[in-house]
Amino acid sequence: MKITVVGAGAVGATCADNIARKELAEELILLDIKQGFAEGKAIDMMQTAALLGFDIKVKGVTNDYASTADSEVVVITSGLPRKPGMTREELIGINAGIVKGVTENILKYSPNTIIIVVSNPMDTMNYLTFKSSGLPKNRVIGMGGALDSARFKYYLSQELGCSPADLNAVVIGGHGDTTMIPLINHATWNSIPVTQLLSKEQQDKIVADTMVGGATLTGLIGTSAWYAPGAGTAAMVESIVRDEKKLISSGVYLEGEYGQDDISLVVPVILGKNGAEQILDFQLNDQEKATFAKSADAVRSMNAVLTEMSLI
C-alpha cells in the first residue's frame, strides 16, 4: 500500500503524521513545490518512528511526481491557506490552477488512484478535480464534511457535557461558512436525539457556532486550522485503505441524489476500498431540503468561475 499527500504545509503534514502513526501504508510520499520542505518534514516524522513505534516509510520529494507512482490514495492539500477575513470563495482563482495541475501530474503515474481533495474552496476544487480527471465519481472525494461534522460534535459535546465520541452528528451541504448544514434534527447521543436534551436556543447556538467554526479558528490563529483537518482527512484515508465502510460526510459528485445534478456537495457517504461506495439518503424534511437547495445554488455560483476561467 502506497499513499501520497501533495502539499507539506500544516494540513498536509498533519494528515501525513496521522497516516504514519496509524501505519496505513507501507510507504507514504509527501510532495511539495518548495525545495527541501517535504524532505525536511518527512525526516522529522521518521525521527519519531523510534519514539512512537511505527514502521511506515515516509519519503519527502520536491515536485517529483514519478515518486508517487502507483499510489492507491492521493490527498491533495495544495494551494494557499485562508487568511483572516478571506472567504473560501476568494481562493478559487488562485487554487483552481494549482489543483488542476496537481491532478494531471498525479494521474500520469497513478491512473487508478482514489483522490481526496482538501484544497479550498473544497466543493469547487472537488468538482474541478472530478471534471478534469475523467475518474469515476466514487474515486474523487472531498474532505470537508468529516471536519465540519467533527466540529459539530465538539460544540454539541460542550453543551451536553459529554464525550464527542458518544455522539452521532453529520454536516451536509457546501463546505463554507454560509453553505454548510449541521443536521441538528438527526444528531444523537447514544441513540437519544439531542433535540430532546437541548433547548431550541442551545440548538441554534450549536448550529451557528459550527457554521463559523473555521472562521473562528482563522481569527484566533491567524491562518486556517490544521489539527482537525489533518485528522479528518486521515480518518477518510483509513476508512478507504482498511475498507472500514464508515459513514463519513464527504464531498461527492451528485447525479440526482438529494435532488441535485452536476455538482459536488457534502452528503453522508460510506467510504471503503472502492472510495465513495454509497450515498445514504437521510430523508430530509422540507426545511432541510430547501436549505440544501440554497446551499447548492451558492456552490454553483462559485463553480461558474471555473467556466469563466476556462478550467473546465
Side-chain angles (χ1 to χ4, degrees):
M1 175 67 67
K2 184 176 183 179
I3 296 170
T4 289
V5 176
V6 182
V11 174
T14 302
C15 174
D17 183 52
N18 277 271
I19 289 171
R21 289 171 185 246
K22 291 174 178 285
E23 294 190 301
L24 299 183
E26 294 176 316
E27 184 178 13
L28 172 63
I29 303 298
L30 188 58
L31 183 148
D32 202 274
I33 61 171
K34 185 177 178 181
Q35 186 67 43
F37 193 58
E39 290 87 340
K41 291 284 185 81
I43 291 171
D44 194 13
M45 281 181 217
M46 285 300 296
Q47 289 173 355
T48 71
L51 301 168
L52 300 174
F54 64 79
D55 292 312
I56 183 174
K57 178 184 177 183
V58 184
K59 178 183 178 182
V61 298
T62 301
N63 258 354
D64 179 15
Y65 283 89
S67 293
T68 71
D70 302 319
S71 293
E72 279 83 357
V73 179
V74 173
V75 175
I76 301 177
T77 72
S78 306
L80 294 183
R82 192 161 55 143
K83 304 295 184 183
M86 178 187 289
T87 64
R88 291 181 177 92
E89 293 79 5
E90 289 172 331
L91 292 176
I92 295 176
I94 300 170
N95 287 351
I98 296 173
V99 170
K100 186 174 183 180
V102 168
T103 301
E104 292 171 350
N105 283 315
I106 283 295
L107 292 178
K108 288 178 184 177
Y109 298 97
S110 301
N112 298 313
T113 194
I114 293 170
I115 296 177
I116 297 177
V117 179
V118 182
S119 308
N120 276 322
M122 187 280 294
D123 305 295
T124 298
M125 294 302 102
N126 200 54
Y127 180 76
L128 170 65
T129 301
F130 172 73
K131 286 291 189 178
S132 63
S133 68
L135 292 174
K137 72 177 195 176
N138 62 295
R139 291 204 273 128
V140 180
I141 310 165
M143 198 291 295
L147 169 62
D148 294 333
S149 297
R151 287 173 173 164
F152 189 19
K153 291 176 185 178
Y154 165 75
Y155 287 113
L156 280 166
S157 72
Q158 296 301 293
E159 287 292 331
L160 291 167
C162 71
S163 167
D166 272 351
L167 295 167
N168 282 306
V170 299
V171 175
I172 63 171
H175 178 54
D177 302 343
T178 60
T179 56
M180 72 175 73
I181 308 165
L183 292 177
I184 191 76
N185 292 327
H186 299 259
T188 61
W189 177 11
N190 276 345
S191 301
I192 304 171
V194 300
T195 52
Q196 295 181 10
L197 306 170
L198 299 166
S199 68
K200 184 63 166 64
E201 183 181 3
Q202 286 176 302
Q203 294 175 43
D204 291 344
K205 181 179 185 300
I206 289 166
V207 169
D209 287 346
T210 300
M211 292 180 71
V212 297
T216 298
L217 291 174
T218 301
L220 292 169
I221 301 170
T223 186
S224 296
W226 59 90
Y227 293 121
T233 308
M236 294 173 69
V237 173
E238 183 174 17
S239 190
I240 292 169
V241 302
R242 291 186 172 159
D243 196 25
E244 292 178 335
K245 313 292 189 187
K246 284 189 174 180
L247 191 161
I248 300 177
S249 286
S250 305
V252 290
Y253 184 75
L254 301 180
E255 296 175 295
E257 299 92 347
Y258 286 84
Q260 298 298 325
D261 281 294
D262 191 31
I263 193 171
S264 173
L265 286 168
V266 172
V267 291
V269 172
I270 300 298
L271 296 183
K273 64 181 179 181
N274 296 311
E277 297 187 344
Q278 183 183 358
I279 296 172
L280 298 186
D281 186 352
F282 263 39
Q283 298 295 314
L284 305 182
N285 62 34
D286 289 342
Q287 182 180 351
E288 291 164 342
K289 288 178 181 177
T291 306
F292 191 84
K294 184 178 179 181
S295 175
D297 289 342
V299 171
R300 278 198 178 86
S301 69
M302 291 190 288
N303 292 349
V305 178
L306 299 175
T307 303
E308 294 170 6
M309 297 174 65
S310 301
L311 287 166
I312 57 172

